[in-house]
Amino acid sequence: MNVLACIKRVPNTGAKIVLTDDNQRIDASNLGFTMSPHEECVIEEAIQQADAHGGSAHVLTLGPEEATEQLRTGLAMQADEASLLETDGSEWGPRATADAIANVVREMAEDGTEFDLLLLGNESADAANYQVGVRVARELGLPCVTGIKSLEVEGDTAIAGREIAGGEEIYEIDLPAVITVKEGINEPRYASMRAKMRARNMEIDRREPVGTAGAGSLEKVRLETPETDDSAAEILGEGPEAVPEIVEILESEVSVV
Amino acid sequence: MILALVEHERGLPAEASLEALTLARELASVEGTDLDAAAFGGDGSALADELGTYGVDTLHHVDHDDLDGYAPEAWGESLGQLVEEIDAGTVVVPSTDRGHEVAAHAGVTLDAPMATNCVAVEVDDAGAYELERHRWGGSLLEHARLTGDRKVISAAEHEFPVTPADEATAPTVTEFTPSLEADHLRVRVDRVEASDEEGIPLGEARVVVGGGRGVGGAEEYDQLEELADLLGGTVGASRAAINDGWRPHDDQIGQTGAKISPDIYIACGISGAVQHMVGCKGAETILAINTDPEAAIIQKADWAVVGDLHEVVPELNDALRDSA
């Protein structure tokens, strides 16, 4: 079973988000980049499913040359192959991105690599558009289910679970299919130093993305860090000596005692 | 016309849907057009009675012989067909799992752009939307421009307090039967399995005791469990603590975990990273216990104790036990 794991390079955030002077993007010069948390699980799931059912796990991203860093993270985790849909670094919207992914999936099928399962994150950490997976599926005519936190493949059927209040709703869908996952579906492995070294020299397939957005548009104008109340907390004291003050607050201020 | 998707349980609209309806009504008023609602299954007339409070003109009750329970593509396709049938310019959905999923499918059917997690929408002279939407779980705002004959938007949770219309309406109920093919129905809920989790879910707890990397290990959470028990609360954790394998993922508070809204959040050994803090935006108050007076959490908390949680928490537990 061949599995495609789609990921997105996003800035690390840390304790405070700092924007570039033009308010167009996050200043990542200090903290660098990572991938969306859901997508570490996307890669892990792709590897586990490919291992369990025989086949390969292929990591794909659309982004600038620097996004090879995230692809190599996937390779170090033991994904078999990686492809970069190389952009000039400008932000691609969800519709053009979905179109580009669908196009490359078709292209790879023509070249003999067909995917039984396409995995994406439920939503990206940065833009959270919640739609790339659905749009890819519809363009390829595949069934799709989103927000999945448990997945088993039996034969040609995926048994996928989504959390709801008080339990889980279960979907049974025929493969090939597109499934978007949430963090918690598995525990992503840490790559060993040796695996990281090996991944550094692995070849990455590079292609030019071809994607269009269709009618209408959603265009970013600028970003803004919302105003927050950053007045420092009232310091109740140091160490255990502050316990009476804590009890006082629990009793009178929030009435939970 | 503005069309709002309403999720409901036996005719009672869900809170997030009423928030979306509140945004939809604002837009209908600005654009001087009707406010319609769409709902799947159940009893249309009972729901219509509820929706009159919020100024809905017409409720389109979507039904089809093959629609039995939730089916994302079929719902999205139906919603898209309804939009075309009634010529609605904008669809507003709640920012729930289903809301986003159905809207994404409808966006495909309509070949329309979709803007999620909107917190403010203004309409310009050309009919385009100048909107603000959440990024990074709400720790960043994006100002964006949404154009097109058809637009799909979701209303960010807790951003549009539910308010009744100035004048209640008596919504007309019309039945809408979409034209569905087998492919639209291939994904549907097969069954629901109840959770065997005990205790108060994080999202509903009045008191949450959170532990971060400062806790130091899985067993060290015992003292936080005890504190939570004494206060009738639930324990949560930061992503760092979960990645270290100290707690299960279900305990995660943050952008990719649970969103909490307790009366008080007691954050122990948590630094206050952006991705964690967006999960506790809903907390009424925050008490931080941290050895580092410079930690970001101190800026974001109401009260702070500078000290080692391993010393403070056991003593606090003793004091609470004594006072009980």
Side-chain angles (χ1 to χ4, degrees), chain B residues 247-262:
Chain B
R247 298 295 291 187
H249 180 271
D250 287 349
D251 283 3
Q252 183 175 325
I253 297 165
Q255 194 177 345
T256 47
K259 311 281 187 286
I260 60 170
S261 50

Side-chain angles (χ1 to χ4, degrees), chain A residues 52-111:
Chain A
H53 302 281
S56 78
H58 194 128
V59 194
L60 173 81
T61 195
L62 179 143
E65 153 67 24
E66 292 80 3
T68 50
E69 180 190 353
Q70 280 63 47
L71 292 175
R72 291 196 195 283
T73 301
L75 291 170
M77 287 170 73
Q78 305 294 316
D80 301 288
E81 288 173 82
S83 293
L84 173 69
L85 302 181
E86 192 170 346
T87 68
D88 60 3
S90 57
E91 193 168 336
W92 280 48
R95 295 162 88 196
T97 301
D99 191 33
I101 293 172
N103 283 332
V104 79
V105 168
R106 284 196 203 100
E107 210 173 278
M108 288 179 177
E110 281 167 18
D111 295 342

Side-chain angles (χ1 to χ4, degrees), chain A:
Chain A
M1 188 172 79
N2 294 327
V3 189
L4 183 67
C6 302
I7 63 168
K8 181 177 185 183
R9 172 182 168 90
V10 298
N12 261 317
T13 48
K16 194 174 192 313
I17 290 182
V18 179
L19 298 177
T20 53
D21 289 340
D22 62 2
N23 291 321
Q24 288 298 309
R25 56 185 72 213
I26 289 178
D27 181 351
S29 51
N30 286 328
L31 291 171
F33 289 83
T34 181
M35 70 183 83
S36 302
H38 295 320
E39 293 156 13
E40 292 180 18
C41 296
V42 162
I43 296 176
E44 178 64 36
E45 196 64 30
I47 295 167
Q48 286 186 18
Q49 297 292 351
D51 282 353
H53 302 281
S56 78
H58 194 128
V59 194
L60 173 81
T61 195
L62 179 143
E65 153 67 24
E66 292 80 3
T68 50
E69 180 190 353
Q70 280 63 47
L71 292 175
R72 291 196 195 283
T73 301
L75 291 170
M77 287 170 73
Q78 305 294 316
D80 301 288
E81 288 173 82
S83 293
L84 173 69
L85 302 181
E86 192 170 346
T87 68
D88 60 3
S90 57
E91 193 168 336
W92 280 48
R95 295 162 88 196
T97 301
D99 191 33
I101 293 172
N103 283 332
V104 79
V105 168
R106 284 196 203 100
E107 210 173 278
M108 288 179 177
E110 281 167 18
D111 295 342
T113 304
E114 298 208 29
F115 295 104
D116 306 284
L117 185 58
L118 281 68
L119 297 176
L120 297 89
N122 187 56
E123 86 280 0
S124 61
D126 61 341
N129 288 305
Y130 290 89
Q131 55 195 275
V132 174
V134 168
R135 290 187 188 271
V136 168
R138 291 287 291 272
E139 194 169 328
L140 294 172
L142 299 177
C144 176
V145 62
T146 67
I148 291 307
K149 280 189 82 170
S150 72
L151 179 63
E152 273 179 58
V153 173
E154 288 178 10
D156 290 331
T157 307
I159 300 154
R162 177 196 289 177
E163 263 180 15
I164 54 169
E168 199 181 26
E169 53 189 22
I170 310 292
Y171 296 81
E172 292 193 2
I173 58 179
D174 291 341
L175 298 178
V178 176
I179 292 180
T180 79
V181 309
K182 284 190 180 179
E183 191 179 39
I185 188 174
N186 54 40
E187 288 180 25
R189 69 194 71 188
Y190 286 106
S192 67
M193 190 49 70
R194 197 168 156 184
K196 285 180 187 163
M197 297 292 285
R198 190 185 62 98
R200 225 185 264 176
N201 298 317
M202 284 175 74
E203 195 164 322
I204 287 175
D205 165 55
R206 289 160 195 266
R207 294 163 195 251
E208 194 172 326
V210 181
T212 52
S217 70
L218 173 65
E219 280 166 26
K220 177 177 74 179
V221 177
R222 67 186 166 87
L223 301 174
E224 177 192 343
T225 44
E227 284 188 20
T228 50
D229 175 17
D230 269 3
S231 54
E234 178 191 336
I235 304 289
L236 300 176
E238 293 195 4
E241 70 178 38
V243 164
E245 278 76 18
I246 302 177
V247 174
E248 167 71 17
I249 278 168
L250 294 174
E251 280 174 354
S252 52
E253 297 267 356
V254 286
S255 314
V256 293
V257 174

